Amino acid sequence: MSAVKASPADSRAVAAGKVSLDKVRALQHTLYRTAKADPGRRFHALWDKVLRRDVLWRGWVAVRANGGAPGVDRITLDWIEDEYGADRLVDELAGELREGSYRPLPARRVYIPKPGTKDQRPLSIPAVRDRIVQSALKIVLEPIYEADFLPCSVGFRPKRSAHDGLQVLVDETWRGRRWVVETDIADCFSAIPHEGLMAAVEERVCDQSVLKLLRAMLRAGVMESGMVRHRVTGTPQGGPISPLMCNVYLHRLDRMWNARAFGVLVRYADDAVVVCRSRQQAEDAHARLRLVLAELGLEPKQAKTRIVELVVGGEGFDFLGFHHRMVRSRGVRGRRGVEFLARWPSDQAMRRARERIGRLTLRSRLLLPVEAVVEDLNRFLRGWAGYFRYGHSTVRFAKIEDHARDRLALFIGKRHKRGRGFGRSVVKYLSLYQCGLLSLKGIVIAPRAGKPWREKPNAGGERRR
């Protein structure tokens, strides 16, 4: 079979896209290096960079890759791509921003259930056009503030992840910090005061056009039950720029934190823990958290704030989807084992995984081929295990794998109007590799103190720990 050759037009489009991406990255690198070299510098010429077509196009690419529902105008990503034209929309946005006629629409308010509770989390979904502008603004602003952010902040940052914060917990407990203060900022995204946030932004940015656009985004309001509500607090959770604004505001907490006096802080957006050497230090850290958050107009969530001592046989704590608990390793040749902080998927994470597997094997999907259902299951298992594999998760991985196999067997039994036993026989004995269901055996990587969690290439190009 002969290979299909790309047309010259397609080749030029791909080349243009790569050049555009390289230029945007070069812009970000320049902004980062400039901000890093001069911590006191305030940027006054950013508006022309937000207006750049390649920056707005990169914003569209980010929005399209993230997917998501339409805003109040009901315009979908598919409609823009298939009928209206992404190029046309980007050009129109660039023109509106340049002429000063751009006005963000109110965000559409929806509620999603909070895992493990009966409460609901409010989400504000901006229109697609507004998400593109927010993404472009984020592209320009993020490198500037990234130069200031501290290592204790690990959430929603480039080249940082939850596992960076989890590794800090392993390292610090190994060094003797066995008291933990865990907390969650109550309604953080909705409670951040606009004036305080703008003051934090203006520490680095003084371009009035950029500040005006950001104020317009904050004041656009949300539409709920047919009414638009404007608030003086909050950066609506659901927009591309909201996580960056949350980090910019909470950077004040990071700067005011003294690790020597109050312990080591690890913060993932509005979720935080502090690891301390003594109960007294933990109590001081708890009081310090409340004081600093009060100065910022925020407060910790009472139900999720507590002090835990990490001892073998004692209780643990949940953070970033994992349950953390102090355990003792098996002794070798009569020697006593060592104590270390172990982690595995929390009960809430397990419950959410089972619920997801259950939705993928519902009776309403019986008309789908088994191969399609297995593909959906594997896609979920691959992503779920990709996150939780960095832990002591073998036992819980086996439980999830058994649950997925059992649900698949039940699905097959129903599809053939037979019982669960028939489905199990198909999965275990009558199919190749259990109908292609992904195995979670042998993929766990146990974290170790003082060792980076990321796999790094050695001199020969192979992966090693």
Side-chain angles (χ1 to χ4, degrees), residues 303-318:
K304 293 189 176 182
T305 302
R306 62 178 185 144
I307 297 175
V308 179
E309 182 183 10
L310 297 176
V311 294
V312 176
E315 62 177 331
F317 66 98
D318 292 348

Side-chain angles (χ1 to χ4, degrees), residues 379-397:
R379 187 179 299 111
F380 165 73
L381 291 174
R382 193 174 292 111
W384 189 83
Y387 178 78
F388 287 107
R389 68 188 294 239
Y390 296 99
H392 307 82
S393 309
T394 302
V395 173
R396 298 222 159 183
F397 272 22

Side-chain angles (χ1 to χ4, degrees), residues 35-237:
K36 198 71 172 178
D38 187 359
R41 174 168 179 166
R42 298 178 71 203
F43 290 77
H44 64 279
L46 298 175
W47 184 240
D48 60 318
K49 299 169 180 60
V50 177
L51 297 180
R52 278 173 42 169
R53 193 185 186 283
D54 56 348
V55 173
L56 286 167
W57 179 259
R58 186 72 184 104
W60 156 256
V61 172
V63 170
R64 188 67 185 96
N66 192 53
V72 294
D73 56 2
R74 298 295 176 181
I75 294 178
T76 65
L77 291 165
D78 291 337
W79 182 81
I80 291 174
E81 195 169 47
D82 299 336
E83 298 186 34
Y84 194 79
D87 287 291
R88 176 183 174 186
L89 178 59
V90 168
D91 289 337
E92 289 178 355
L93 288 173
E96 290 180 17
L97 289 169
R98 188 173 293 107
E99 296 166 2
S101 61
Y102 170 78
R103 297 293 184 274
L105 297 172
R108 182 167 64 91
R109 175 58 56 87
V110 297
Y111 292 89
I112 61 174
K114 288 186 177 181
T117 68
K118 296 182 179 179
D119 299 332
Q120 290 187 316
R121 175 183 289 115
L123 284 184
S124 302
I125 304 177
V128 173
R129 64 194 304 274
D130 297 332
R131 299 210 293 268
I132 295 173
V133 175
Q134 286 190 28
S135 296
L137 188 59
K138 178 186 175 185
I139 287 171
V140 175
L141 294 181
E142 187 173 56
I144 297 172
Y145 295 103
E146 189 61 33
D148 296 335
F149 289 159
L150 300 175
C152 62
S153 172
V154 298
F156 304 105
R157 294 181 57 189
K159 297 184 180 180
R160 304 279 291 177
S161 75
H163 288 286
D164 292 304
L166 295 171
Q167 186 62 42
V168 172
L169 300 184
V170 173
D171 294 341
E172 294 302 325
T173 52
W174 184 261
R175 296 185 182 117
R177 300 181 189 272
R178 303 293 179 88
W179 289 85
V180 175
V181 182
E182 57 171 328
T183 189
D184 189 2
I185 302 174
D187 301 322
C188 178
F189 284 87
S190 301
I192 294 177
H194 289 174
E195 291 305 317
L197 174 58
M198 292 306 302
V201 171
E202 290 173 17
E203 290 182 8
R204 274 298 206 170
V205 175
C206 58
D207 188 316
Q208 292 304 312
S209 296
V210 171
L211 297 176
K212 180 181 178 181
L213 175 61
L214 187 54
R215 287 192 184 96
M217 291 176 176
L218 294 175
R219 295 172 180 171
V222 294
M223 179 173 287
E224 186 175 6
S225 302
M227 297 182 60
V228 178
R229 293 179 171 84
H230 300 274
R231 299 184 60 181
V232 296
T233 62
T235 170
Q237 189 172 3

Side-chain angles (χ1 to χ4, degrees), residues 151-152 164-165 167-169 171-173 175 177 179-181 257-267 272-277 281-282 285 289 319:
C152 62
D164 292 304
Q167 186 62 42
V168 172
L169 300 184
D171 294 341
E172 294 302 325
T173 52
R175 296 185 182 117
R177 300 181 189 272
W179 289 85
V180 175
V181 182
W257 194 261
N258 187 322
R260 184 180 296 274
F262 303 109
V264 176
L265 171 70
V266 179
R267 182 178 64 79
V273 297
V274 185
V275 283
C276 308
R277 291 194 178 277
Q281 189 180 51
L289 273 174
F319 183 58

Side-chain angles (χ1 to χ4, degrees), residues 191-193 249-253 256 291-298:
I192 294 177
Y249 191 65
L250 292 181
H251 177 60
R252 295 185 169 189
L253 165 65
M256 290 188 282
L291 177 62
V292 174
L293 290 177
E295 292 177 1
L296 297 176
L298 305 172

